[in-house]
Amino acid sequence: MDQPRTERSRRSRGERAGLTREQIVAAARRTLDARGLDGLSLRAVAAELGVAPNAIYSHLDDKNALIDAVLDDVLSTIAEPRTKDPRRALKTIMVDTYDTLVEQARLVGAYLARQGSRGPEAQRLGMIMDRCLEQLGAGGAIGEAGRRSMIVYTIGYAAFATGWTADGERPLPAAKVRRDFLAGLDWLINGIAGPP
């Protein structure tokens, strides 16, 4: 039985097409894997889903919103640390973020271009970091600057680990880059919160 026209007309095109934001993000990730960041567009995702592009626009405004949704979806895999030690929790979040970014090498450039992620998952991780920094006596403006510094450091090292080298140049071994990242992360945390 058909729904009354008034109820049907209140739903967006994407909802009428039976799409959810999660389906769109999953299709965007498949599109990204197949076509790379340059090939990721609302039209390409619509084609992947077999719908008209307008169905996507009811959930996401533009390509930047699509990229932000994908970036935030990647961050959803980073769990809240189980440790009660705030220093360890900060390190765990940053190491998990680094490892996730290295696994998703195609997205590292997008994290750089978008200056991180601003979605709900990024906010969740940011709040955990802020709590840890406050416990270490580095709240307020110092904590905010410290959080940002750790995020930029981690994205930068992930870019270094996954970046291209000039012709004839050999990249540093991944294990060495990770060791350097871990050592520098300890220095950074100790510089923000003071030595343990």
Side-chain angles (χ1 to χ4, degrees):
M1 182 172 185
D2 283 345
Q3 296 173 335
R5 180 162 168 63
T6 55
E7 187 178 321
R8 254 190 14 233
S9 61
R10 278 185 250 167
R11 293 185 307 172
S12 69
R13 287 184 183 120
E15 290 169 330
R16 287 194 300 266
L19 289 179
T20 64
R21 186 180 175 96
E22 292 77 22
Q23 290 171 315
I24 294 168
V25 171
R29 290 185 72 171
R30 290 191 303 273
T31 303
L32 180 70
D33 288 343
R35 299 180 179 201
L37 193 56
D38 290 339
L40 181 63
S41 68
L42 293 171
R43 288 188 181 282
V45 172
E48 170 73 22
L49 289 166
V51 299
N54 286 347
I56 306 291
Y57 283 106
S58 65
H59 290 278
L60 299 163
D61 293 335
D62 56 22
K63 182 176 179 175
N64 284 336
L66 178 66
I67 291 170
D68 286 343
V70 170
L71 297 179
D72 205 54
D73 185 57
V74 168
L75 293 179
S76 71
T77 63
I78 300 169
E80 182 168 351
R82 295 177 187 250
T83 181
K84 298 292 183 199
D85 177 347
R87 198 175 296 273
R88 257 198 187 150
L90 286 169
K91 186 169 182 176
T92 299
I93 289 172
M94 293 294 88
V95 170
D96 288 352
T97 300
Y98 172 84
D99 290 340
T100 298
L101 292 176
V102 169
E103 286 174 14
Q104 300 291 326
R106 289 178 176 227
L107 287 176
V108 174
Y111 278 100
L112 288 169
R114 304 290 299 145
Q115 295 186 339
S117 176
R118 295 165 195 81
E121 292 299 326
Q123 291 173 22
R124 173 185 65 87
L125 293 170
M127 287 190 296
I128 296 167
M129 292 175 71
D130 288 347
R131 281 196 311 265
C132 291
L133 289 163
E134 285 173 13
Q135 290 173 3
L136 291 168
I142 292 171
E144 185 179 325
R147 174 177 30 87
R148 191 173 308 112
S149 294
M150 284 186 279
I151 292 168
V152 170
Y153 173 81
T154 301
I155 294 171
Y157 244 97
F160 185 70
T162 60
W164 298 94
T165 57
D167 289 339
E169 294 285 322
R170 291 186 48 156
L172 291 173
K176 177 171 179 24
V177 174
R178 192 170 196 282
R179 274 194 313 272
D180 291 350
F181 164 73
L182 293 173
L185 183 59
D186 284 334
W187 298 332
L188 185 57
I189 292 170
N190 291 338
I192 295 165

